Amino acid sequence: MVLASLCPAIPVVLGLALLDEHLTRWQALGLAGAAAATVLLTLG
């Protein structure tokens, strides 16, 4: 369940790491949301 909340972040991180793409404000907000969801799911 926790890994499912990271699905939106995986393409963005791969694009940043492998394709030298830039992070937009909306993508940063999406990554922050995915991180927050992961923390909330982990805490229960």
Side-chain angles (χ1 to χ4, degrees), residues 2 5-6 31-44:
V2 174
S5 66
L6 294 177
L31 285 174
T38 302
V39 169
L40 289 174
L41 285 171
T42 302
L43 294 177

Side-chain angles (χ1 to χ4, degrees), residues 6-27:
L6 294 177
C7 283
I10 292 171
V12 176
V13 172
L14 286 175
L16 288 171
L18 301 177
L19 301 176
D20 197 31
E21 293 196 8
H22 300 286
L23 192 64
T24 66
R25 197 172 293 149
W26 288 109
Q27 288 171 329

